[in-house]
Amino acid sequence: TEDRTIEIAIILLMHLSFDNISFGVIDPCVNDTPALNNTNNLYNITLDENFNDADGIYIKGENLTGPGGYWIGPGNISWSKTNDINDETMLTYNWSQLRGYTPSGTTQTTYYWIDVPCGKVHGQYKGKIYYMANATGG
């Protein structure tokens, strides 16, 4: 094959100020339990100021597993850009836009709540939330 030159024109670097979102030990049949650090504004997503702007920041989740093999779907977790449950968006298995155009150097604080359906067991549930920044360079 012929040699080709490839130019990487857009570099995004995203920092999360947290490595977990904890709801503590949770009870079934309880809704809108806030993440433990919501009131401390600790769930921050930052685009590094030395790199490019993003066309958007996205979020998605997976099932949370708990004691005895019980699980909770991502739709039982909600997030918001304000610490207001009335402004919540439900997490899904698919990428959802958390924020549109985002200039480099921007920090977006996020907040989280969980609903635990009846029929689940008391305990800690663990899973993953994914974040992605995207830019097309168009």
Side-chain angles (χ1 to χ4, degrees):
T1 60
E2 297 179 31
D3 290 339
R4 298 285 185 224
T5 301
I6 298 173
E7 177 183 358
I8 298 174
I10 296 176
I11 300 174
L12 299 172
L13 183 60
M14 183 171 53
H15 302 280
L16 301 178
S17 66
F18 55 97
D19 59 3
N20 69 66
I21 300 168
S22 179
F23 299 96
V25 177
I26 49 182
D27 292 318
C29 300
V30 178
N31 292 332
D32 302 333
T33 300
L36 297 178
N37 284 311
N38 273 6
T39 56
N40 299 323
N41 301 323
L42 293 183
Y43 303 118
N44 298 306
I45 303 165
T46 303
L47 286 185
D48 193 290
E49 65 185 17
N50 297 312
F51 292 90
N52 296 96
D53 300 346
D55 293 338
I57 298 175
Y58 301 85
I59 186 172
K60 72 176 184 173
E62 64 178 30
N63 290 338
L64 291 99
T65 56
Y70 284 87
W71 60 274
I72 299 171
N76 290 285
I77 296 176
S78 57
W79 60 269
S80 179
K81 295 185 283 185
T82 65
N83 196 4
D84 182 354
I85 190 68
N86 295 312
D87 193 30
E88 70 180 332
T89 300
M90 304 313 288
L91 194 63
T92 69
Y93 294 108
N94 301 312
W95 291 112
S96 299
Q97 190 175 71
L98 186 144
R99 182 183 170 119
Y101 172 79
T102 306
S104 64
T106 299
T107 296
Q108 177 65 63
T109 303
T110 54
Y111 304 88
Y112 302 88
W113 297 269
I114 191 166
D115 298 338
V116 182
C118 295
K120 303 299 179 181
V121 297
H122 171 85
Q124 286 191 331
Y125 287 77
K126 297 181 180 182
K128 293 182 182 175
I129 296 177
Y130 300 91
Y131 302 89
M132 173 180 67
N134 188 39
T136 60

